[in-house]
Amino acid sequence: MSAISTPTLPPLPTPRRIEPPLSLAATTEPRWVRYALMVAAFGFLTLFLFVPLVAVFAEAFKKGWHVYLESISEPDALSAIRLTLIAAGIAVPLNLVFGVAAAWTIAKFEFRGKSILLTLIDLPFSVSPVISGLIYVLLFGAQGWFGEWLRDHDIKILFAVPGIVLATVFVTFPFVARELIPLMQAQGSEEEEAALVLGASGWQTFWYVTLPNIKWGLLYGVILCNARAMGEFGAVSVVSGHIRGETNTMPLQVEILYNEYNFAAAFAVASLLTLLALLTLALKALVEWRTAENSASLTEAN
């Protein structure tokens, strides 16, 4: 008998990959939608940013350079400029030290009350500046908790430079800390631990390991802190007393001049604040660019 041959099955055809039909991506909109969104964005910026900026400088120079220079060189205006710079010059370094210390503590250590500390750091963001000014009045005013003791020792805080500095420090202290905390948490503590294992001291670890890693974030926080310090109005208005030539900062001086219908002088001082804001914006953009550049170089190195 002959062996029964098993029929050979033909090979299965290789399945063809079904290509999805060409279509617009989910995030791609028709051209008219994109143009409409761009027009809306630029229109909003023009109406609420560029037009006010142009109006400030137009009103400041409306009566000519002579009136403008007289307005910003007037004694009360110079006093307001000087006090603004003093308040910012004291508040920013204090907040720099506090921000680095708070960020280091929160990012590098685990301890009880960590969430409470984070909440307290965010407190000025949730409390009205006017309320914070009233708190200082309740503490250091004539009828406040420490008012009698301050009066007996001839120490003046309210309606003087110390009160303005305290109010400025309060409303600005979250900026540096809040900029550094996520940055230091993302970086971790491996490099610091390695430096300590190799024999570096705490200060050496900070200066040669931690600080170079956070320098751009630190500068970014300082820029934002300085901008808020120079432009603060609510808290400073409560504790200053509006004493012309003594306790008026630049925002308060603008308000007084405007209420007196001295529009040329008011817009002249306001233009100085605007220039400071534009300078701050330029520095902020520069720091963001350098930070992105450094991040890209680190990504390529890895």
Side-chain angles (χ1 to χ4, degrees), residues 45 61 119 228 294:
L45 288 175
F61 293 100
T119 303
R228 177 64 189 274
N294 289 343

Side-chain angles (χ1 to χ4, degrees), residues 60-61 64-82 244-245 250 253 257 262 264-272:
F61 293 100
W65 279 94
H66 179 68
V67 174
Y68 180 85
L69 294 177
E70 281 187 352
S71 300
I72 62 175
S73 60
E74 191 255 340
D76 290 345
L78 292 177
S79 174
I81 296 170
R82 182 169 57 251
R244 300 189 68 155
M250 292 173 69
Q253 182 69 10
L257 293 172
N262 191 353
F267 281 102
V269 179
S271 69
L272 294 180

Side-chain angles (χ1 to χ4, degrees), residues 43-75:
F44 187 89
L45 288 175
T46 301
L47 182 62
F48 294 100
L49 180 62
F50 298 134
V51 171
L53 285 177
V54 173
V56 167
F57 287 101
E59 290 293 330
F61 293 100
K62 188 175 183 180
K63 296 184 178 180
W65 279 94
H66 179 68
V67 174
Y68 180 85
L69 294 177
E70 281 187 352
S71 300
I72 62 175
S73 60
E74 191 255 340

Side-chain angles (χ1 to χ4, degrees), residues 140-274:
F140 306 117
Q143 307 299 323
W145 290 2
F146 306 107
E148 185 176 352
W149 184 87
L150 292 173
R151 185 173 61 254
D152 293 340
H153 292 79
D154 196 23
I155 300 175
K156 194 171 184 180
I157 294 181
L158 289 183
F159 313 138
V161 175
I164 295 173
V165 171
L166 284 175
T168 305
V169 169
F170 178 82
V171 298
T172 56
F173 77 75
F175 288 94
V176 177
R178 263 305 172 189
E179 186 62 33
L180 292 182
I181 288 172
L183 177 62
M184 297 178 74
Q185 286 177 334
Q187 291 174 350
S189 57
E190 290 81 5
E191 295 185 14
E192 286 85 357
E193 292 173 356
L196 293 174
V197 169
L198 293 174
S201 64
W203 279 111
Q204 288 175 327
T205 302
F206 174 76
W207 284 109
Y208 296 106
V209 178
T210 303
L211 188 59
N213 289 334
I214 65 172
K215 60 181 180 181
W216 292 112
L218 181 61
L219 181 58
Y220 186 82
V222 167
I223 290 172
L224 294 179
C225 179
N226 182 69
R228 177 64 189 274
M230 290 189 296
E232 174 55 30
F233 179 84
V236 172
S237 178
V238 176
V239 301
S240 71
H242 296 271
I243 305 174
R244 300 189 68 155
E246 295 184 19
T247 63
N248 277 338
T249 58
M250 292 173 69
L252 301 183
Q253 182 69 10
V254 171
E255 181 197 30
I256 289 177
L257 293 172
Y258 191 84
N259 289 336
E260 293 177 348
Y261 301 99
N262 191 353
F263 299 127
F267 281 102
V269 179
S271 69
L272 294 180
L273 280 173
T274 305

